[in-house]
Amino acid sequence: VMQLCLLYYHYLVPSPQPLFSYILARIIVAAFLFQTGYGRTMSALAKTSNFNARAILTIILRLNLLTLVLAMATNRSWNDYYFTPLVTFWTIVFYLLHTVGVWLCPRTRVVVVGVLCVLLSMNARRDPEQFSFAALFFSPLKPILTSKSTPFDTWLFRSQLDCFSPLMGAVVALNHEKISYALARSEGIPAWRKGLFYALVCTGAVGAMAMWAWPLQFVWTDSGDAAATCLKSCSTCKTCKQCGGSGPSLQFLGPLSASRDASLLQCVQRRIAQEQYNYQHHAFLCVVPCLAYISLRNLTPYCRSHSSPIMGFIGARSLELYLLQYHLWLSNG
């Protein structure tokens, strides 16, 4: 389902994307990174774990082999493929955490990741006049993380925006046994107590989603006011390729006219709304939809034990499907 949503986002939604489509794509990326933190931590904590250098190298090879082939075939850079560098980075982080830091207890290791995420999130707007730990941390890798089409600032944006998603995945993995025990115990209680338990979980998940979604209406309203102010204060406006149905990309369009004022206003409003969502909401609250979905998906034995074989087949190949559709999107510019 997430793959289908990304296909819709990349190929059918005009740029700049409406806020709902943009938020959906951002949540999907956060969900993939959530699974990275969860999966690597579960592998490290498993009693029969084969969490060693060979296993991690195999994972990194699978993550990067198709990306390298596609990049060489089209004369592109490895870091142009958004997802691969990001997941590779967090895979290495969790490997080092659970091997070099093996003398630490699991909870302390997750706290270390939390400290790293907080430091990476500093100066998320990348103000050059303020200190940026992310810029300092990734500066030795700048030649690898920079290309003609993907500047270093883009990598900083991507790595900072979803840095708390892998952390929350690790937290869930750390508490997996307790969660499993609570769910198993809920099956042996009287029916009325079981129904009350289900009702409380559903109410909590829906309530959390409502609290997460409520401020988004103000993001769109505030961005509209900011866009109107921007257009009133300037006689020229930078726009994107899709703005107004025509017009060159990122070039001055000259004095505004009444015929294109509405389209320019919508273009600027969408851009401002996306920035406000990224910096005010997504980085810290993107895990709320993920946790709400997981809570509802695993609530009852029927939900936990039933899945779609077709979706499972696609999900097992989600990396390759994502890379191929992203590669086509990059190739079509």
Side-chain angles (χ1 to χ4, degrees), residues 81 135 139 242 270 288:
Y81 292 82
S139 57
Q242 299 295 331
R270 287 179 177 180
V288 173

Side-chain angles (χ1 to χ4, degrees), residues 36-45 49-60 63 86-104 109-110 112-113 116 166 170:
T36 300
Y38 177 83
R40 299 292 87 80
T41 303
M42 285 293 292
S43 298
L45 298 180
S49 175
N50 59 346
F51 196 78
N52 50 41
R54 180 178 180 180
I56 293 301
L57 287 175
T58 302
I59 293 172
I60 292 177
L63 286 172
L86 210 52
V87 177
T88 300
F89 165 70
W90 285 110
T91 298
I92 294 173
V93 166
F94 281 104
Y95 170 70
L96 294 176
L97 179 72
H98 295 300
T99 53
V100 178
V102 70
W103 53 276
L104 297 171
R109 296 178 216 166
V110 174
V112 172
V113 176
L116 175 63

Side-chain angles (χ1 to χ4, degrees), residues 16 238-240 243-244 262-272:
K238 287 184 177 181
T239 187
C240 65
C243 185
S263 60
L264 283 175
L265 178 62
Q266 184 182 62
C267 174
V268 175
Q269 183 177 5
R270 287 179 177 180
R271 291 296 189 196
I272 294 176

